[in-house]
Amino acid sequence: MKHKLAIIGFGTVGQGFCEILLQKKEYLKKKYDFEWSVVAVADFAYGNVYNENGLDVEEMVGLAQKKEKFVKDAVDWETLELIERCNADTVCELTFTDLKTGGPAVDHVKTALASGKSVVTSNKGPAALMYPEMKKLADEQGVKFMIEGTVVAGTPIVNLAEGPLAGCEISKIRGILNGTTNYILSEMEKGLPYEEVLKSAQELGYAEADPTGDVEGYDARGKVTILANVVMGAELDIEDVACQGITKITPDDIKFAKEQGKRWKLIGSVENKDGKVTGSVAPEMVDLSHPLAGIMGATNALTFTTDLLGDVTIVGPGAGRIETGFSILTDVLAIGKR
Ligand code: HSE
């Protein structure tokens, strides 16, 4: 049986995910007995399309790369109507993140879950602002709400905590959760000015559309909230997480840290002390001997402090077309296996 997918948002992540599906079509079938068809795509730039027997994904990726609108299988249904009416088993919500309101993504996710479809998303909005509500709705409907791609792209953080680390009690999660700021701090250490480095982070595609979210720590705060609520079972509001970014760090501060044998890192942290979960984001001077000090550029790293294994650290990419596309694949495959 083919797993039927709807893709909402056909930007960097949506196209990256489709490229992986196309490239690995035979491999996925052979290795996991997983067959797919994309039945619906909605995108404000390219239009909404639907074919219950499967769309021509290769052609659509080609059109999007040329910035041309979809023509074949075009429908005049609004996105929510498309989500509700399509015959997809799983809706992949891949639109832009809005950490203030949750953006249209919240309505997309609610509509999909309410119509009995599982949701896989890399959008931090619904996950950071209303995970408990979405999870409850998914449970009531007997479907899944899966969010691996919301924290550190495809590097398995949520799945690691819920899968291989299951049985360990996790008392702390701490690390580098934002690639843009880690890249900026790494480059500033080479003597490059902040403004220039921020510009190249945007050109390299690490930064969010509005990079304020990265440099002020809001992106990392969204991820900390997700970790607190999903991995630690808390019910934190994003505003409960204390947040400070890197905008006040000067070249002198960087020099000072170096003289002390330290390095600035923007550290996101979640801690469970006697059942009380707290979260924070703030720049810290980390000793050069500490594993997190060696994480440079746009790479992310997280250490889980556990009762049975002590510290477990995972290092990997936290952004990117294919890297985030992979996070969608891994959750879709998990649903497919069920
Ligand atoms: N802008 C984010 C980062 C991308 O720099 O880590 C993924 O959330």
Side-chain angles (χ1 to χ4, degrees):
M1 194 191 77
K2 279 193 181 172
H3 200 84
K4 295 188 279 302
L5 306 168
I7 298 181
I8 311 304
F10 206 68
T12 311
V13 181
Q15 291 172 43
F17 173 50
C18 285
E19 281 166 30
I20 301 175
L21 285 178
L22 290 167
Q23 251 175 39
K24 290 191 174 271
K25 194 167 189 155
E26 290 313 313
Y27 173 79
L28 294 174
K29 183 166 189 280
K30 201 168 154 202
K31 174 105 182 165
Y32 304 107
D33 195 22
F34 179 83
E35 290 187 274
W36 56 269
S37 72
V38 175
V39 293
V41 171
D43 187 276
F44 70 91
Y46 309 118
N48 290 2
V49 287
Y50 178 53
N51 185 326
E52 62 181 7
N53 298 313
L55 298 161
D56 185 343
V57 178
E58 198 164 355
E59 184 184 281
M60 290 166 60
V61 171
L63 286 171
Q65 279 165 6
K66 289 186 279 177
K67 306 264 175 256
E68 286 176 23
K69 280 187 180 292
F70 305 141
V71 179
K72 213 181 344 175
D73 299 309
V75 287
D76 58 10
W77 303 343
E78 294 295 333
T79 302
L80 294 182
E81 188 180 0
L82 179 65
I83 292 172
E84 196 166 18
R85 286 177 66 170
C86 75
N87 65 341
D89 312 300
T90 300
V91 172
C92 306
E93 211 299 335
L94 312 178
T95 64
F96 62 92
T97 288
D98 175 344
L99 280 172
K100 286 202 179 84
T101 65
V106 165
D107 290 333
H108 298 160
V109 174
K110 275 189 188 164
T111 304
L113 295 174
S115 60
K117 298 170 175 87
S118 289
V119 171
V120 170
T121 187
S122 56
N123 190 316
K124 289 178 279 283
L129 301 179
M130 40 187 75
Y131 182 80
E133 189 186 323
M134 299 295 179
K135 176 76 171 62
K136 186 165 173 268
L137 181 56
D139 289 347
E140 281 164 7
Q141 292 287 337
V143 293
K144 295 283 159 194
F145 176 51
M146 303 198 50
I147 59 155
E148 180 59 61
T150 62
V151 183
V152 192
T155 303
I157 301 296
V158 177
N159 288 331
L160 175 66
E162 296 198 333
L165 290 182
C168 280
E169 286 176 45
I170 299 168
S171 55
K172 191 155 54 164
I173 311 172
R174 190 182 130 82
I176 297 165
L177 284 160
N178 180 271
T180 302
T181 45
N182 203 53
Y183 172 79
I184 293 175
L185 292 171
S186 304
E187 293 295 291
M188 280 176 77
E189 206 177 304
K190 296 179 192 162
L192 296 166
Y194 175 84
E195 293 302 334
E196 189 183 308
V197 179
L198 174 58
K199 198 160 162 265
S200 63
Q202 284 174 292
E203 283 162 8
L204 288 163
Y206 305 143
E208 299 291 307
D210 175 3
T212 321
D214 295 294
V215 296
E216 295 293 359
Y218 306 144
D219 173 76
R221 177 164 70 169
K223 293 166 185 166
V224 162
T225 312
I226 293 169
L227 290 173
N229 293 350
V230 179
V231 176
M232 302 261 196
E235 293 207 0
L236 290 192
D237 244 31
I238 195 161
E239 304 289 338
D240 297 335
V241 176
C243 178
Q244 192 189 327
I246 63 157
T247 49
K248 293 199 175 81
I249 294 184
T250 64
D252 280 347
D253 293 330
I254 292 194
K255 202 166 142 238
F256 176 74
K258 208 171 174 180
E259 285 161 8
Q260 308 287 311
K262 295 184 181 201
R263 181 172 272 154
W264 285 101
K265 294 288 170 196
L266 184 67
I267 302 292
S269 173
V270 188
E271 201 166 347
N272 185 341
K273 259 194 196 150
D274 305 323
K276 186 171 170 13
V277 177
T278 53
S280 67
V281 174
E284 281 180 31
M285 284 202 301
V286 175
D287 207 274
L288 285 181
S289 61
H290 191 280
L292 291 179
I295 308 298
M296 302 300 275
T299 304
N300 288 187
L302 271 185
T303 299
F304 291 81
T305 301
T306 73
D307 56 347
L308 302 180
L309 293 175
D311 281 357
V312 177
T313 298
I314 180 160
V315 179
R321 180 186 184 88
I322 296 299
E323 294 83 347
T324 312
F326 165 72
S327 72
I328 306 305
L329 176 70
T330 192
D331 278 350
V332 163
L333 276 179
I335 292 173
K337 275 188 219 152
R338 284 192 185 99

